[in-house]
Amino acid sequence: MSLNKLIVPSWLCSIFTIFLPPIDDRFPIYVFFFSIFIYLSGLSILNRRFIPRISFIVVIVFSIFITLIIVSHLVNIDVSFGSYFVKFLVNILFLFSFVLYSYNNKKIIVSNVKWLRFTLELIIFLTFSQILLNVHLGNIWLIPVIGVQNSIDGYEIMKYPIYFGSLDKNTWATKFVFIVIVYLSFIYFKVFSVSKIKKYLMLGMATFCVIYMLSRTAQLSFILFIFLFYLWKILFVHKNKLLKVVTLTVLIITSVLASFILFDKLFHIKLDSADGLAARLYLWKAFYLHLEHMYIVIGNGIFSSGYILPLYERMDNALHWHNAFMTMFADVGFFGLIIFIWILKFIFWHGDLNRKYRLIFLCYFVPLFISLNSQYAGYDNDVVIYSSLVIFLYIFFIYDKKLK
């Protein structure tokens, strides 16, 4: 069997498995499928013995980043977390492998849209089923109406068994929003087609999940993407000037009204011990307090927050900085942070596309940027999966000749 017949399915399985709860905390299921994809795509590149059709600087930058990760771990081996080192390395290798493979196999990647659609729809359906079950078990049907008073109240839905999703509510909600954003975008750009009934059915299920997951980060990301997407559509798709003015006015009024309603019901922010925002402010304060003690060149080891945060009052139970850029600086140093920013630029800014299609990628970057600044450590599996899906859309545009 050709390797190409296995590589894309392994990528699709990787997407699906980030929603499977871990059997063992030390070995999440997705690591196995990520490793398979890395191995198969590596074999494909070696067997064909070609020079990757991608800028040489991309290969160099990714290679330097991987080297920095390894060096930071080895130099700080006494305090660096081995399990997170493996997670970080596997996720970056996965993204690097996808970049190399997709840029050299555009036709193969694009030809598997049927199975990609099935994977995304299955994730949306199973997430909806899980959320629906937990809402029923908790009898919390009215929570969007009565609202929540703090972050702890938002975890009501997690008190029941999770068969599909994530054990962390906010991470689950955010990775789900990423999938929904990609699914709806792929329909709009005709990457694949679905009936109107199915489209609105999937949108309804997705909206239900986003509301009842009660994650402010995910909800804000979803709302901002919708706003930016329609703003982009008004500016670059609608031709009639009067229609542009009318639709823009309706969009702004609707967005403002929706923001007030959502803020009142779901975005209660109180800077006390029960609020997630307050906890993040303490975390970020600890980062700046410890900044002068950090090794800014090679970093302080992978998941360095695990030993830095307990040094500060009220930080015993904290896991990480809840800011990817802080994490990169602390873990792999200043140069690692610069490379991380460069990789984001490589994924979400494409100067070879025309202005219309170039700017749409900024709409995809905003939800990720919000999550990176408030929730993620930076080397999370959903970050690289979302990035791979955005790269897929770029490959589709290239293949469809949307360059001028």
Side-chain angles (χ1 to χ4, degrees):
M1 180 182 292
S2 171
L3 276 176
N4 287 325
K5 293 183 179 179
L6 297 174
I7 293 175
V8 175
S10 69
W11 173 57
L12 297 177
C13 288
S14 298
I15 296 172
F16 183 79
T17 54
I18 69 170
F19 286 88
L20 297 179
I23 298 175
D24 189 319
D25 290 338
R26 294 169 297 179
F27 189 80
I29 298 172
Y30 82 87
V31 172
F32 176 72
F33 287 92
F34 273 37
S35 300
I36 290 176
F37 176 80
I38 294 168
Y39 176 73
L40 292 177
S41 58
L43 280 182
S44 175
I45 293 172
L46 292 175
N47 288 344
R48 293 179 65 176
R49 297 179 181 177
F50 55 73
I51 299 175
R53 296 170 188 165
I54 191 171
S55 172
F56 186 66
I57 190 65
V58 175
V59 178
I60 294 297
V61 170
F62 268 97
S63 299
I64 293 174
F65 194 48
I66 292 167
T67 302
L68 286 174
I69 295 169
I70 296 172
V71 169
S72 178
H73 175 68
L74 294 178
V75 171
N76 301 281
I77 192 69
D78 292 337
V79 292
S80 187
F81 284 68
S83 59
Y84 285 95
F85 165 69
V86 173
K87 175 182 178 180
F88 196 177
L89 193 60
V90 167
N91 287 343
I92 293 300
L93 284 171
F94 176 88
L95 181 59
F96 186 30
S97 299
F98 185 81
V99 169
L100 291 179
Y101 182 79
S102 60
Y103 273 71
N104 286 277
N105 297 275
K106 296 182 181 68
K107 184 177 180 180
I108 296 173
I109 288 288
V110 173
S111 64
N112 280 270
V113 293
K114 177 183 177 181
W115 290 106
L116 175 59
R117 184 197 68 199
F118 174 78
T119 303
L120 299 179
E121 289 176 348
L122 183 61
I123 290 171
I124 294 172
F125 174 75
L126 291 178
T127 301
F128 171 74
S129 300
Q130 178 70 74
I131 297 298
L132 183 64
L133 173 63
N134 286 22
V135 169
H136 171 71
L137 293 174
N139 193 26
I140 53 175
W141 298 100
L142 295 179
I143 203 165
V145 178
I146 62 178
V148 294
Q149 298 304 313
N150 53 54
S151 296
I152 293 177
D153 292 344
Y155 280 83
E156 181 69 27
I157 200 168
M158 302 300 292
K159 293 181 179 179
Y160 307 95
I162 302 296
Y163 304 105
F164 185 82
S166 175
L167 300 182
D168 181 86
K169 172 182 71 73
N170 292 324
T171 301
W172 181 14
T174 305
K175 70 174 68 176
F176 178 73
V177 163
F178 288 160
I179 292 297
V180 174
I181 287 173
V182 167
Y183 177 75
L184 296 177
S185 299
F186 284 8
I187 293 175
Y188 178 79
F189 289 114
K190 296 181 172 56
V191 175
F192 49 67
S193 59
V194 300
S195 66
K196 284 188 176 180
I197 294 177
K198 176 185 280 189
K199 181 176 71 173
Y200 289 114
L201 179 62
M202 301 303 289
L203 178 60
M205 289 190 288
T207 304
F208 177 88
C209 293
V210 172
I211 291 174
Y212 278 95
M213 282 178 168
L214 298 174
S215 170
R216 291 181 298 205
T217 300
Q219 291 167 345
L220 180 61
S221 298
F222 192 51
I223 292 168
L224 272 179
F225 173 78
I226 292 175
F227 175 80
L228 290 173
F229 184 84
Y230 276 98
L231 181 61
W232 171 86
K233 189 175 178 181
I234 290 169
L235 295 177
F236 293 100
V237 177
H238 294 329
K239 303 299 183 181
N240 186 288
K241 290 185 179 181
L242 177 61
L243 180 61
K244 283 188 176 186
V245 173
V246 172
T247 52
L248 183 59
T249 303
V250 172
L251 176 64
I252 293 174
I253 294 174
T254 304
S255 300
V256 170
L257 292 176
S259 298
F260 277 116
I261 295 172
L262 287 169
F263 188 88
D264 179 62
K265 296 299 180 183
L266 301 175
F267 283 76
H268 289 276
I269 298 175
K270 297 179 179 180
L271 297 182
D272 56 31
S273 59
D275 189 78
L277 177 59
R280 283 161 174 76
L281 292 176
Y282 282 115
L283 289 170
W284 298 338
K285 179 182 178 181
F287 176 87
Y288 289 108
L289 288 174
H290 198 82
L291 194 59
E292 62 185 77
H293 304 296
M294 292 184 182
Y295 300 108
I296 65 173
V297 177
I298 60 172
N300 303 270
I302 307 308
F303 208 67
S304 58
S305 57
Y307 75 86
I308 294 176
L309 287 173
L311 299 175
Y312 296 91
E313 185 181 1
R314 303 179 67 175
M315 296 296 169
D316 291 338
N317 297 321
L319 293 176
H320 59 84
W321 304 112
H322 282 269
N323 184 294
F325 301 99
M326 291 181 180
T327 299
M328 290 299 156
F329 183 87
D331 288 8
V332 291
F334 174 76
F335 296 106
L337 172 61
I338 295 301
I339 292 177
F340 178 69
I341 294 172
W342 186 93
I343 291 174
L344 291 176
K345 182 260 181 188
F346 166 73
I347 295 170
F348 292 95
W349 181 256
H350 301 284
D352 54 339
L353 295 177
N354 66 40
R355 186 164 176 258
K356 172 182 175 181
Y357 290 99
R358 187 165 63 242
L359 291 178
I360 190 61
F361 282 92
L362 293 181
C363 298
Y364 297 117
F365 177 67
V366 169
L368 179 63
F369 185 72
I370 292 171
S371 300
L372 290 176
N373 277 285
S374 63
Q375 183 168 299
Y376 284 134
Y379 36 84
D380 308 80
N381 54 39
D382 30 334
V383 172
V384 297
I385 286 295
Y386 180 61
S387 297
S388 72
L389 289 165
V390 172
I391 292 171
F392 179 95
L393 182 61
Y394 169 69
I395 295 297
F396 176 80
F397 285 166
I398 293 294
Y399 193 73
D400 206 34
K401 308 297 184 186
K402 297 184 186 297
L403 301 175
K404 298 181 180 180

